[in-house]
Coordinates of all heavy atoms in Angstrom, one line a residue:
E189 N -1.7 5.8 -12.6 CA -1.2 4.4 -12.8 C -2.4 3.4 -12.7 O -2.5 2.5 -13.5 CB -0.2 4.1 -11.7 CG 1.2 4.2 -12.2 CD 2.2 4.0 -11.1 OE1 2.1 3.0 -10.3 OE2 3.1 4.9 -10.9
V200 N -12.8 5.2 0.0 CA -13.4 5.1 1.3 C -12.8 6.3 2.1 O -11.7 6.2 2.7 CB -13.0 3.8 2.0 CG1 -13.6 3.7 3.4 CG2 -13.4 2.6 1.2
P201 N -13.6 7.4 2.2 CA -13.1 8.5 3.0 C -13.3 8.3 4.5 O -14.4 7.8 4.9 CB -14.1 9.7 2.5 CG -14.9 9.2 1.4 CD -14.9 7.7 1.6
T202 N -12.3 8.6 5.3 CA -12.4 8.5 6.7 C -11.7 9.6 7.4 O -11.0 10.4 6.8 CB -11.7 7.2 7.3 OG1 -10.3 7.4 7.4 CG2 -11.9 6.0 6.3
G209 N -15.8 -1.1 11.6 CA -16.8 -0.5 10.7 C -16.1 0.0 9.5 O -16.5 -0.2 8.3
A216 N -15.9 -4.2 1.6 CA -16.9 -4.1 0.6 C -16.4 -3.4 -0.7 O -16.9 -3.8 -1.8 CB -18.1 -3.2 1.2
F229 N -8.3 12.1 6.9 CA -8.2 13.5 7.1 C -9.2 14.0 8.2 O -10.4 13.8 8.0 CB -8.4 14.3 5.8 CG -8.3 15.8 5.9 CD1 -7.1 16.3 6.2 CD2 -9.4 16.6 5.8 CE1 -6.9 17.7 6.4 CE2 -9.3 18.0 5.9 CZ -8.0 18.5 6.2
G236 N -17.7 21.9 15.2 CA -18.1 23.2 15.7 C -17.1 23.7 16.7 O -16.2 23.0 17.1
P237 N -17.2 25.0 17.1 CA -16.2 25.6 18.0 C -16.1 24.9 19.4 O -15.0 24.8 20.0 CB -16.7 27.0 18.2 CG -17.9 27.2 17.5 CD -18.2 26.0 16.6
E248 N -2.4 7.4 13.5 CA -1.8 7.2 12.1 C -1.1 5.9 11.9 O -1.4 5.2 10.9 CB -0.8 8.3 11.9 CG -0.8 8.8 10.5 CD 0.1 10.0 10.3 OE1 -0.3 11.1 10.7 OE2 1.2 9.8 9.8
L255 N -5.1 -0.7 7.4 CA -5.4 -0.5 6.0 C -4.6 -1.4 5.1 O -5.1 -2.1 4.2 CB -5.3 0.9 5.6 CG -6.3 1.9 6.1 CD1 -6.0 3.3 5.8 CD2 -7.7 1.6 5.6
L262 N -4.1 2.2 -1.7 CA -3.4 3.6 -1.6 C -4.1 4.3 -0.4 O -5.3 4.3 -0.3 CB -3.6 4.3 -2.9 CG -2.9 5.6 -3.1 CD1 -2.7 5.9 -4.6 CD2 -3.5 6.8 -2.5
V268 N -3.3 19.4 6.6 CA -4.4 20.4 6.6 C -4.1 21.5 5.6 O -4.9 22.0 4.9 CB -4.7 20.8 8.0 CG1 -3.7 21.7 8.6 CG2 -6.1 21.4 8.1
V280 N -19.2 24.2 0.2 CA -20.3 23.5 -0.5 C -21.5 23.3 0.5 O -21.3 22.8 1.6 CB -19.9 22.2 -1.0 CG1 -21.0 21.5 -1.7 CG2 -18.7 22.3 -2.0
S286 N -29.6 18.8 4.6 CA -28.5 19.2 5.6 C -29.1 20.0 6.8 O -28.4 20.2 7.8 CB -27.5 20.2 5.0 OG -26.6 19.6 4.2
V301 N -18.7 18.9 5.9 CA -18.6 17.5 5.3 C -18.7 17.6 3.8 O -17.9 17.0 3.0 CB -19.7 16.6 5.8 CG1 -19.8 15.3 5.1 CG2 -19.5 16.3 7.3
V305 N -15.7 16.4 1.2 CA -16.0 15.3 0.4 C -15.9 15.7 -1.1 O -15.4 14.9 -1.9 CB -17.3 14.6 0.7 CG1 -17.7 13.5 -0.3 CG2 -17.2 14.0 2.1
G340 N -21.0 12.1 -11.0 CA -20.9 10.8 -11.7 C -20.2 9.8 -10.9 O -19.4 8.9 -11.5
A372 N -25.0 2.7 27.2 CA -25.2 3.2 25.8 C -26.0 2.2 25.0 O -26.6 2.7 24.0 CB -23.8 3.5 25.2
L375 N -29.5 2.8 23.4 CA -29.8 3.6 22.1 C -30.2 2.6 21.0 O -31.3 2.7 20.5 CB -28.6 4.4 21.7 CG -28.7 5.3 20.5 CD1 -29.9 6.2 20.5 CD2 -27.4 6.1 20.2
T420 N -35.5 12.0 1.7 CA -35.5 13.5 1.8 C -35.2 13.9 3.3 O -34.9 15.0 3.6 CB -36.9 14.1 1.5 OG1 -37.8 13.5 2.4 CG2 -37.3 13.7 0.1
P427 N -46.1 6.9 4.9 CA -45.9 5.5 5.3 C -45.7 4.5 4.1 O -45.2 3.4 4.3 CB -47.1 5.1 6.1 CG -48.0 6.3 6.1 CD -47.4 7.4 5.4
R438 N -26.7 12.3 24.0 CA -25.4 12.4 24.7 C -25.4 11.5 25.9 O -26.3 11.5 26.8 CB -25.2 13.8 25.2 CG -24.8 14.7 24.1 CD -24.9 16.2 24.5 NE -25.3 17.0 23.4 CZ -24.4 17.4 22.5 NH1 -23.1 17.2 22.6 NH2 -24.8 18.1 21.4

Side-chain angles (χ1 to χ4, degrees):
E189 260 176 49
V200 179
T202 82
F229 180 64
E248 213 174 285
L255 288 170
L262 190 155
V268 72
V280 180
S286 283
V301 169
V305 171
L375 182 55
T420 62
R438 284 166 213 278

